[in-house]
Amino acid sequence: MSTQRPYSGFCERVHALRRKYQLSVEQLALLVGIEPKHLYRMEEGILSPEVDAYHLLRLTEVFHVSSEELLRGTSSASAYDPTDRIRKPKESPTA
């Protein structure tokens, strides 16, 4: 039986991305708007992540990833392209 917590993947991804972008716990906490001790404890698995929508959005902006990639570790970029829903302007006929 596995003792891995269901949120551990999220915590590991936050930690890995923070290291990739060479940010300290304090720097990332300041950018996201949370207490550094909360971020540290979350990364270490000491407490479960309590991330609201605002802070999740801030994490995705800082790391340039989708929320799905951050939460689940999967990218939906190939499955869904938000620009598909934007109507393209009709080209004017040239004479």
Side-chain angles (χ1 to χ4, degrees):
M1 181 176 217
S2 174
T3 59
Q4 186 175 10
R5 294 178 175 98
Y7 52 81
S8 64
F10 170 75
C11 298
E12 291 169 3
R13 284 185 288 282
V14 170
H15 177 77
L17 287 164
R18 181 179 64 76
R19 300 282 307 239
K20 175 183 174 183
Y21 283 88
Q22 300 178 349
L23 295 169
S24 69
V25 170
E26 292 78 13
Q27 289 170 323
L28 180 57
L30 181 64
L31 288 170
V32 175
I34 60 176
E35 291 291 325
K37 67 181 179 182
H38 180 78
L39 179 59
Y40 172 78
R41 293 171 134 182
M42 183 182 73
E43 283 187 3
E44 293 298 314
I46 298 169
L47 62 90
S48 64
E50 295 179 11
V51 180
D52 61 24
Y54 172 78
H55 294 107
L56 179 62
L57 179 62
R58 292 294 302 137
L59 284 168
T60 63
E61 291 171 345
V62 169
F63 295 137
H64 306 286
V65 296
S66 69
S67 58
E68 184 174 352
E69 187 173 353
L70 193 58
L71 293 170
R72 296 184 179 171
T74 58
S75 176
S76 61
S78 60
Y80 174 71
D81 182 2
T83 60
D84 286 342
R85 299 185 65 159
I86 299 172
R87 293 184 184 193
K88 308 279 192 251
K90 293 181 181 179
E91 290 185 26
S92 60
T94 56

